[in-house]
Amino acid sequence: MNSKFHSGSRPVWLLICGIILISATMRAPLTSVGPLAGAIRDQLHLSNAMAGSMTTLPLIAFALFSPFAPGLARRFGMRPVLFSAILVLGAGILLRSASGSVSLFLGTALLGVAIAVCNVLMPALVKREFPGRIGSVTGVYSVSMNLFGAIGSGISIPIAVFWGWQGALGVWSALCLAALLLWLPLVRGRGAEAAVEARRGGTQSGLLRSPLAWEVTLFMGLQSLTFYVAIAWLPEILAERGIPADRAGLLLSVMQLSQLPFTFIVPVIAARMSHQRWLAAAGSLLLLIAFLGLLYGGTQWILLWMIIFGIGGGGTFSLAMMFFNLRTESSQQAAELSGMAQSFGYLLAAVGPALFGYIHDVTHSWHIPLLLMVAVSVALFFCGLGAGSNRLVGAAARRTEIAAS
């Protein structure tokens, strides 16, 4: 890897550190809420439904605002938009941490909008700045996201013991401040150049007519659905099997930590392959095995199912991030595909946990909801076979295919 960017403006390590810090801010503010939900509900006198919306509201923001991120990058430049998003994220974290239910939900919505922008633009930034190292850099920021997500859920309660839930949620603003300080030299003088470069690429309207773009979108959405259903309901499923709450929480942490090696390894391998169908198939089958294990396996095998789920979930997540780059020709087109996939994908993710819980309420059993997740894993398998094929989205790709034929 060269010691300078292609523009020769800044050492490459500075941008890598900036990418790591932004990635760290994209999960921890979300995962830190779950362990504190009961305390927040009790202190602010919220209903269970209102408390649950603290998790679903950011997902709805992802779905609604992801399509706008590529246009912002095209107009103002990718780096300035990412810098502004982190600024908004920090403000949202601080607002959420203030006393009162109104500020809680306004801040939650604000940070959801900011993370939506970062979610969409990070793969495109990697494609533009590291065209020869897409796999390894994608692995680095995927690991950073998942590692700090696990840390966020793990340290919330200990911090809340000393600083209350407001302090446990607000502490992540320090991470945003660090990211802003590091990104200041990266943004200066880059806005105009980035805006010119961003204008090169396709439009989302073309992607909406691309079968491949929809296969990538469904792959993104279905793997997100499995993750958020697991985060929301696995503790309840394990409790019904007679597993104590403290052990269930530990198993959930094991699941998240087992993702980490594979969120790095899978993108590196994927970048070296002509197609990624086998990787997509393997990740989907691991999720299928995990859900079948939860459905029919004994409690003595629960740890194994959690590890298998973590490996499959980590692999399919990082592979979805790679598809935005591997199936496109330019950084702007990667941003457009990322915006489309994450908009529809997180809409599925937002609906999934609620539907899963509703089916349980109607049937008074986890059997049918888990069968539904088995079906989702099968659908993910077939979407992965399409998304992993060696093709490109967009009109330029179609012209290439016609010329080759």
Side-chain angles (χ1 to χ4, degrees), residues 50-291:
M50 291 290 286
S53 67
M54 289 187 293
T55 299
T56 58
L57 188 58
L59 298 180
I60 294 171
F62 295 170
L64 293 178
F65 289 93
S66 291
F68 298 102
L72 291 173
R74 189 164 53 243
R75 181 171 182 180
F76 300 107
M78 204 172 294
R79 293 193 193 181
V81 171
L82 282 169
F83 182 86
S84 301
I86 296 302
L87 187 62
V88 172
L89 175 58
I93 290 173
L94 291 175
L95 181 61
R96 182 180 64 172
S97 305
S99 297
S101 57
V102 174
S103 62
L104 174 71
F105 290 107
L106 285 178
T108 299
L110 201 60
L111 68 87
V113 171
I115 296 175
V117 172
C118 295
N119 279 338
V120 170
L121 296 186
M122 285 295 285
L125 180 75
V126 171
K127 185 178 182 69
R128 190 185 72 186
E129 302 288 357
F130 301 96
R133 296 288 188 272
I134 290 175
S136 57
V137 179
T138 299
V140 166
Y141 90 74
S142 297
V143 167
S144 180
M145 286 178 63
N146 287 283
L147 175 61
F148 277 85
I151 291 173
S153 60
I155 69 173
S156 291
I157 295 298
I159 293 176
V161 170
F162 295 97
W163 295 345
W165 65 263
Q166 293 95 337
L169 293 182
V171 70
W172 300 107
S173 60
L175 204 56
C176 294
L177 178 61
L180 288 171
L181 293 175
L182 190 63
W183 271 80
L184 271 175
L186 294 170
V187 172
R188 291 173 182 169
R190 294 285 301 185
E193 178 185 343
V196 170
E197 183 175 346
R199 291 189 182 97
R200 302 168 188 166
T203 61
Q204 198 173 48
S205 59
L207 294 181
L208 292 174
R209 296 191 294 270
S210 168
L212 176 57
W214 280 106
E215 288 167 340
V216 171
T217 295
L218 287 173
F219 187 84
M220 171 67 197
L222 292 173
Q223 66 83 24
S224 296
L225 188 152
T226 62
F227 174 78
Y228 284 102
V229 163
I231 290 296
W233 292 111
L234 268 178
E236 295 290 332
I237 294 172
L238 297 179
E240 191 172 280
R241 299 286 182 87
I243 295 175
D246 56 345
R247 188 181 170 213
L250 180 61
L251 287 169
L252 200 61
S253 297
V254 168
M255 181 204 68
Q256 293 183 73
L257 290 174
S258 65
Q259 293 179 348
L260 296 180
F262 295 90
T263 55
F264 180 79
I265 293 170
V266 168
V268 173
I269 296 174
R272 299 176 180 177
M273 301 175 73
S274 59
H275 66 80
Q276 296 75 35
R277 288 195 292 264
W278 292 113
L279 283 176
S284 305
L285 288 174
L286 287 173
L287 291 175
L288 176 63
I289 291 170
F291 282 120

Side-chain angles (χ1 to χ4, degrees), residues 26-45:
M26 290 163 59
R27 273 284 176 89
L30 301 177
T31 59
S32 59
V33 173
L36 302 171
I40 296 172
R41 178 195 60 206
D42 294 341
Q43 184 171 332
L44 297 181
H45 307 291

Side-chain angles (χ1 to χ4, degrees), residues 360-375:
H360 173 264
D361 288 342
V362 171
T363 62
H364 304 289
S365 168
W366 293 114
H367 188 82
I368 293 179
L370 284 171
L371 281 178
L372 175 64
M373 299 314 297
V374 168

